[in-house]
Amino acid sequence: MIDLIKIGKQAKKSAVSLSLLTATEKDQLLLAMAETLEKNRPLILTENKKDLDTAKKNALKPSLIDRLELTEERINEMANGIREVVQLPDPLGVVDKMWRNSDNLLIGKQRVPLGVIGIIYEARPNVTTDAASLCFKSGNAVILRGGKEAFYSNQILVKLLQETLSAKGYSPYSIQFVDDTSHAVAEQMMRLNEYLDVLIPRGGANLIRRVKETATVPVIETGTGNNHIFIDKDAQLPMAVDIVVNAKTQRPSVCNAIETILVHKNCAAEFLPLLEKELKNSVELRADESARKYLMNAHPATEEDWQTEFLDFILAVKVIDSIDEAIAHINRYNTKHSEAIITDNYFASQKFLQEVDAAAVYVNASTRFTDGFVFGFGAEIGISTQKLHARGPMGLEALTSIKYIIYGEGQIRK
């Protein structure tokens, strides 16, 4: 079994030296990492093919294979994601504010690294480079434990990043890979309190639930996406069709795709046939009784359908009587990820923004935009669906904490 204690000690030691690097030093190293990825495209694709061959042999769903597959274009995107991180301001050392108290002490809040971050994730190799670059830039050592589906891809990516650090004279242990995909090692990592400052799971509902139930290390929950779009009675229906089609079909295997649409009864008769025509039978519709009146090819929806993140070409459909009913349905079934309303009614949009409980709430736009890169954070470490200590797409600042710095002139407390 892999020696996680040794990895933890190496990470802890590296975190100290990493936190002392200047912003320029970190940026130069990150640029070198991006260049290394591009120079080694053939090697990365060779290792990724091993994972793809295994996935096809094991009959993984096409949507999961899509998550797993790397192409030259996707490798370029990974490298450019690292370069985007370089362009971001370094959060470390930033003093958010300073003030004097009644004792004339000058008190400030300064940004500092979290320390050592553990990430347990599934079949998405781009998470490896996203996580590594964000953690490195924010001064955190990272221990990466990917799923067995992407084992060879993740292994070669971390190896290349480590070789880049070593070639430049820096410790490779600030980015480490756990090359054992067993549940036993994952659970040991979840209890590595002496060395991990925080653990971030990225993956499906089962992984996140297991981490929450097992971990003794503090956890930042990144979420599954049982997301909704509500088509209000005052929506522009052609725009609503375009947004729903995009949010469901552009890439259904990702967490910011939608799984359910709620349609106001006043526009259901016109909207649903338009939507079904545009989908061209590419999406399986599971609809309640009211919605099925307006659809040619829909299966009856079950209670389970309202609760499910399909990650597939499946869409649940429900006709509702009011915006209040829509908000109640969303807040009951959603996973606090991304929600949207399509409406030209300003008051309806503001009510939806205020009352829907989610990390990202949209008016007249696709939920597919919930993404750290799109939000301007560079790559993202994940999308937090909890409220402490970060929420939504997590960029550099979300990977820092604060410490108070206090300047005195000989003051003592009486």
Side-chain angles (χ1 to χ4, degrees):
M1 184 180 288
I2 190 170
D3 189 346
L4 277 181
I5 301 299
K6 180 180 178 181
I7 288 176
K9 287 180 178 178
Q10 291 169 334
K12 204 78 171 175
K13 184 177 180 181
S14 292
V16 175
S17 57
L18 177 56
S19 69
L20 299 176
L21 294 182
T22 66
T24 299
E25 288 172 322
K26 289 185 292 186
D27 288 344
Q28 289 173 344
L29 288 166
L30 287 167
L31 289 172
M33 292 179 202
E35 187 176 345
T36 297
L37 294 183
E38 291 175 336
K39 286 181 177 178
N40 287 276
R41 288 190 204 94
L43 178 58
I44 296 170
L45 291 174
T46 296
E47 295 301 300
N48 181 245
K49 187 176 184 302
K50 295 179 184 179
D51 291 323
L52 290 173
D53 289 344
T54 302
K56 291 169 185 174
K57 182 179 178 181
N58 293 334
L60 255 66
K61 292 195 302 184
S63 59
L64 295 179
I65 291 176
D66 175 62
R67 282 186 168 201
L68 175 61
E69 184 177 12
L70 292 178
T71 61
E72 287 203 3
E73 182 181 358
R74 287 185 178 181
I75 293 171
N76 291 341
E77 289 172 358
M78 291 159 65
N80 287 331
I82 295 176
R83 294 189 179 103
E84 288 285 339
V85 171
V86 170
Q87 297 301 315
L88 298 171
D90 191 331
L92 297 185
V94 172
V95 178
D96 291 338
K97 65 177 181 177
M98 296 197 79
W99 68 96
R100 287 194 179 275
N101 72 349
S102 58
D103 297 302
N104 205 34
L105 293 170
L106 184 60
I107 304 170
K109 290 172 62 176
Q110 187 180 58
R111 290 276 157 194
V112 295
L114 292 172
V116 180
I117 297 174
I119 303 178
I120 297 178
Y121 56 109
E122 293 178 339
R124 292 181 68 179
N126 65 295
V127 173
T128 301
T129 54
D130 287 354
S133 59
L134 282 168
C135 289
F136 192 85
K137 174 91 174 191
S138 56
N140 296 289
V142 64
I143 300 174
L144 298 160
R145 192 273 188 185
K148 63 181 183 296
E149 297 85 0
F151 178 83
Y152 292 105
S153 305
N154 292 332
Q155 187 177 54
I156 190 59
L157 289 169
V158 173
K159 183 174 184 289
L160 291 170
L161 298 180
Q162 288 182 322
E163 287 177 354
T164 304
L165 290 172
S166 295
K168 299 291 184 180
Y170 293 88
S171 169
Y173 300 125
S174 56
I175 303 171
Q176 294 188 79
F177 177 64
V178 176
D179 60 2
D180 185 325
T181 60
S182 68
H183 288 308
V185 166
E187 291 189 3
Q188 184 187 358
M189 187 173 169
M190 295 176 203
R191 298 187 176 96
L192 209 62
N193 294 64
E194 188 174 352
Y195 304 106
L196 285 181
D197 292 285
V198 68
L199 185 63
I200 303 174
R202 283 193 62 169
N206 290 337
L207 169 66
I208 293 168
R209 182 169 56 250
R210 190 168 77 249
V211 172
K212 286 173 62 180
E213 292 173 353
T214 306
T216 55
V217 175
V219 173
I220 297 177
E221 181 181 350
T222 64
T224 54
N226 187 18
N227 307 317
H228 304 71
I229 291 180
F230 167 47
I231 293 84
D232 184 37
K233 60 184 176 62
D234 296 314
Q236 294 182 36
L237 298 188
M239 178 176 70
V241 169
D242 289 343
I243 289 172
V244 169
V245 170
N246 174 264
K248 178 72 261 184
T249 68
Q250 191 212 26
R251 201 171 179 192
S253 63
V254 293
C255 62
N256 56 20
I258 60 162
E259 308 296 6
T260 298
I261 59 168
L262 305 173
V263 185
H264 196 284
K265 64 180 182 181
N266 289 7
C267 64
E270 183 179 356
F271 173 77
L272 288 173
L274 288 174
L275 177 65
E276 187 173 36
K277 180 180 179 182
E278 190 64 27
L279 291 174
K280 301 179 178 68
N281 295 319
S282 62
V283 174
E284 177 186 332
L285 300 176
R286 299 182 182 177
D288 72 345
E289 184 177 355
S290 295
R292 291 200 307 278
K293 295 176 183 177
Y294 310 114
L295 296 166
M296 299 291 291
N297 297 294
H299 302 282
T302 66
E303 175 65 19
E304 184 180 2
D305 290 325
W306 310 130
Q307 304 170 20
T308 301
E309 182 189 29
F310 299 114
L311 299 174
D312 204 346
F313 288 98
I314 301 170
L315 182 65
V317 184
K318 184 178 178 66
V319 172
I320 51 88
D321 291 339
S322 67
I323 187 172
D324 289 307
E325 184 184 348
I327 291 170
H329 180 101
I330 290 169
N331 286 340
R332 176 180 177 185
Y333 292 105
N334 78 343
T335 51
K336 318 301 182 188
H337 195 296
S338 299
E339 307 295 339
I341 182 174
I342 314 301
T343 187
D344 278 349
N345 186 310
Y346 173 79
F347 297 102
S349 70
Q350 296 309 298
K351 179 180 178 67
F352 193 86
L353 289 173
Q354 183 175 8
E355 297 183 21
V356 168
D357 185 11
V361 186
Y362 293 83
V363 176
N364 295 333
S366 171
T367 58
R368 285 284 288 115
F369 289 107
T370 306
D371 178 274
F373 183 84
V374 174
F375 279 22
F377 302 156
E380 70 181 25
I381 204 78
I383 297 172
S384 171
T385 54
Q386 64 184 44
K387 298 178 183 179
L388 295 175
H389 80 118
R391 198 177 196 196
M394 294 172 60
L396 290 174
E397 188 172 303
L399 298 180
T400 64
S401 182
I402 61 164
K403 68 178 176 184
Y404 289 92
I405 54 175
I406 304 99
Y407 295 89
E409 299 168 329
Q411 289 96 323
I412 59 173
R413 186 168 181 174
K414 297 179 182 179

